[in-house]
Amino acid sequence: MARRSRQIDDFHYAESAEEGIVLRQYLYGTAHMDGMGDLVTTLSWEGGQPVVLKQEFEWYY
């Protein structure tokens, strides 16, 4: 079975949220233009350290 390559970029969008901050990272296949979706992460801070509150994929259709 052929192995498919998948990539993820640094975050391309950030917005403040009630809990902290929401970051979006672009997911793509073998070429950057093969967009598959975003990895969406909600972060907060505790004692100066980042804490992941929620992380999910939002797939493009």
Side-chain angles (χ1 to χ4, degrees), residues 14-59:
E15 68 180 33
S16 61
E18 187 176 317
E19 308 91 0
I21 189 169
V22 176
L23 303 175
R24 298 180 79 85
Q25 294 172 273
Y26 179 66
L27 301 168
Y28 58 96
T30 55
H32 199 266
M33 63 188 212
D34 294 338
M36 296 187 310
D38 286 337
L39 174 62
V40 182
T41 306
T42 303
L43 295 173
S44 186
W45 284 263
E46 186 176 300
Q49 297 296 315
V51 176
V52 176
L53 300 177
K54 181 178 172 184
Q55 192 168 53
E56 63 187 1
F57 291 104
E58 287 186 9
W59 302 106

